[in-house]
Amino acid sequence: MHKPDERGYFGDFGGRWVPEVLVAPLAEVEKAMNEAFGDPTYWEEFHALLSEYVGRPSALTVAHRFGQPRNATIAFKREDLNHTGAHKINNTIGQALLAKRMGKQRLIAETGAGQHGVAVATIGAKLGIPVDVYMGAVDVERQALNVYLMRLLGATVHPVTGGTQTLKDATNEAFRVWAAQCEDTFYVIGSVVGAHPYPFMVREFQRIVCDDGRIQSQGRFGRLPTDIVACVGGGSNALGIFTAFIDDDNVNLWGVEAAGKGTNTAETAAPLAVGSVGVLHGSRSFLLQTAEGQVKPTHSISAGLDYPGVGPEHAYLKQSGRAKYVAVTDDEALAAFHACAASEGIIAALESAHALAYAQQLAKERGEEGLIVVCMSGRGDKDVTQIEKLDGKALVAEVTG
Ligand SMILES: *Cc1c(COP(=O)(O)O)cnc(C)c1O
């Protein structure tokens, strides 16, 4: 299924599970989106910014040394080379242009690690639209650099002090603000999550990743990949690189969740692997929840994958079997991060390192004809301080142990 049905469902998943006050603003976004999607001038402006500002199309790089010895070929789709260092900018440009077209005066966004907040602040600055970002107070402390970046870019960051003071609470606050001020405010959501039409809309902005990638694969290899591998937090980079290949039954699609300390532990962030069906942030999908339906705390080494839910289209692709989902632990991701840096000269984001870890394994199982394209969703500059600390600890343990 390529489009959700009229009620916003991909099979059994998705929909619009929101309080009454959000029904009208969501319907307004949906109407404006449908009009914009049918207007070539809207897409012209989108593609112009992607090429002149983001630097698209991002490269497809053959990884000659990563994961050797192996038989299959591995190539990286380089979203890390985009302006701001990840795929998130593709989506924020699409939504900001829609806001402009709707005559909205302000962009609001939730952010956890701060990556989405920075991407919204960036396009807000570029288009001259004020930006307010809601961020859990704990995350504001933990992600001081991104808070500073958002402020440099002219955005206002609002620390949210309710609940666990993290992403979940920031999202609730952004919804509350939007409900009160939707007249002049556009809510920019950071992944293929939330109520209809967001999961579909965000996917349509991110599918540029595979629209480019398909052409590049044909041009470089004369054929399509055998396998596509992408990490899954909310799931936007994965749907970005999956979508153009959905009808190619012989292209295997792999989504890689964060197992954290292991999917058999409480410290995990893999709802498709070990979650159950429920409602989170306006849509029905898999999530990590208790038997009573309370959202569970999650853990991943990578802030961008540390989310208890997942986009509804992934739930559908899992159920239909079109995509397969696996989980990679913190330690496996960290090892792949180091291997990629040392063998390819690429500092990957810790999120992307999860996809790298699984691709490495797959490349050993596949024969010579295997052609595995990994979505390098972002660059790891943001993660190196954290990794340095982790490695420092490991080093001490080695010496004293
Ligand atoms: C935010 C982020 C992710 C996770 O988000 P998705 O919506 O699942 O793509 C993955 N990689 C990077 C680099 C990110 O910044």
Side-chain angles (χ1 to χ4, degrees):
M1 189 190 302
H2 301 286
K3 281 194 81 169
D5 67 18
E6 273 169 24
R7 292 156 48 246
Y9 278 83
F10 298 91
D12 294 336
F13 305 101
R16 197 174 270 173
W17 297 72
V18 293
E20 188 80 39
V21 283
L22 287 174
V23 172
L26 285 164
E28 190 197 354
V29 171
E30 184 183 10
K31 184 163 172 282
M33 175 196 77
N34 285 331
E35 283 166 10
F37 282 11
D39 179 355
T41 64
Y42 171 80
W43 290 115
E44 271 162 31
E45 203 176 348
F46 177 69
H47 289 293
L49 278 167
L50 289 183
S51 72
E52 293 167 13
Y53 188 58
V54 177
R56 299 202 74 88
S58 62
L60 183 69
T61 304
V62 178
H64 294 286
R65 295 184 353 102
F66 174 73
Q68 294 289 5
R70 54 171 159 90
N71 296 316
T73 301
I74 296 181
F76 300 151
K77 180 60 180 154
R78 302 289 306 281
E79 295 300 296
D80 60 311
L81 295 177
N82 292 343
H83 177 48
T84 71
H87 65 294
K88 287 194 169 74
I89 190 81
N90 303 325
N91 168 44
T92 59
I93 287 178
Q95 291 193 54
L97 288 178
L98 185 61
K100 197 176 87 170
R101 189 184 162 97
M102 292 168 77
K104 302 294 181 188
Q105 307 294 315
R106 188 168 75 118
L107 303 177
I108 61 168
E110 83 295 340
T111 198
Q115 297 299 111
H116 175 56
V118 169
V120 179
T122 299
I123 193 61
K126 177 73 178 154
L127 298 179
I129 311 176
V131 173
D132 287 282
V133 178
Y134 297 87
M135 187 169 185
V138 168
D139 289 333
V140 169
E141 289 285 317
R142 282 195 294 207
Q143 309 290 340
L145 179 63
N146 277 338
V147 173
Y148 182 58
L149 288 178
M150 286 183 262
R151 290 185 175 145
L152 283 178
L153 293 161
T156 308
V157 180
H158 303 267
V160 175
T161 51
T164 54
Q165 314 195 1
T166 58
L167 177 60
K168 174 169 68 64
D169 312 289
T171 306
N172 292 339
E173 180 66 6
F175 269 121
R176 199 189 60 73
V177 171
W178 192 39
Q181 300 169 21
C182 60
E183 198 88 339
D184 68 346
T185 299
F186 189 97
Y187 181 14
V188 184
I189 292 185
S191 188
V192 286
V193 300
H196 181 63
Y198 281 93
F200 167 69
M201 178 167 70
V202 175
R203 182 198 84 188
E204 290 300 288
F205 297 138
Q206 290 295 0
R207 64 173 293 164
I208 189 69
V209 176
C210 56
D211 290 345
D212 295 350
R214 208 182 145 91
I215 296 166
Q216 289 166 322
S217 180
Q218 295 279 21
R220 176 69 173 74
F221 303 102
R223 62 190 175 112
L224 295 180
T226 55
D227 298 86
I228 305 277
V229 182
C231 66
V232 176
S236 69
N237 86 90
L239 285 181
I241 200 167
F242 286 177
T243 297
F245 297 103
I246 291 272
D247 289 332
D248 301 301
D249 290 335
N250 40 16
V251 178
N252 301 296
L253 307 175
W254 302 95
V256 184
E257 293 190 299
K261 301 274 171 66
T263 49
N264 55 348
T265 71
E267 290 181 81
T268 188
L272 290 168
V274 291
S276 54
V277 175
V279 170
L280 181 66
H281 298 143
S283 73
R284 186 170 189 273
S285 185
F286 281 82
L287 66 141
L288 293 168
Q289 59 185 337
T290 63
E292 294 77 36
Q294 291 299 310
V295 178
K296 280 189 192 169
T298 50
H299 163 82
S300 166
I301 190 175
S302 133
L305 303 183
D306 201 353
Y307 180 65
V310 63
E313 191 172 356
H314 284 291
Y316 172 72
L317 291 174
K318 174 188 156 85
Q319 196 179 52
S320 71
R322 178 61 191 95
K324 297 271 188 289
Y325 295 86
V326 294
V328 155
T329 65
D330 290 351
D331 289 349
E332 291 165 335
L334 200 54
F337 167 90
H338 282 296
C340 180
S343 64
E344 298 294 337
I346 297 172
I347 307 288
L350 275 176
E351 292 85 1
S352 319
H354 287 72
L356 288 171
Y358 186 68
Q360 196 171 7
Q361 185 184 323
L362 200 58
K364 294 192 199 302
E365 292 164 16
R366 292 278 184 264
E368 300 264 335
E369 76 294 344
L371 172 55
I372 301 169
V373 174
V374 184
C375 188
M376 186 69 77
S377 55
R379 69 173 88 113
D381 306 40
K382 65 183 179 60
D383 298 320
V384 293
T385 330
Q386 181 191 353
I387 291 167
E388 188 192 12
K389 275 190 205 138
L390 287 169
D391 287 348
K393 246 197 270 172
L395 205 62
V396 172
E398 213 172 282
V399 173
T400 56

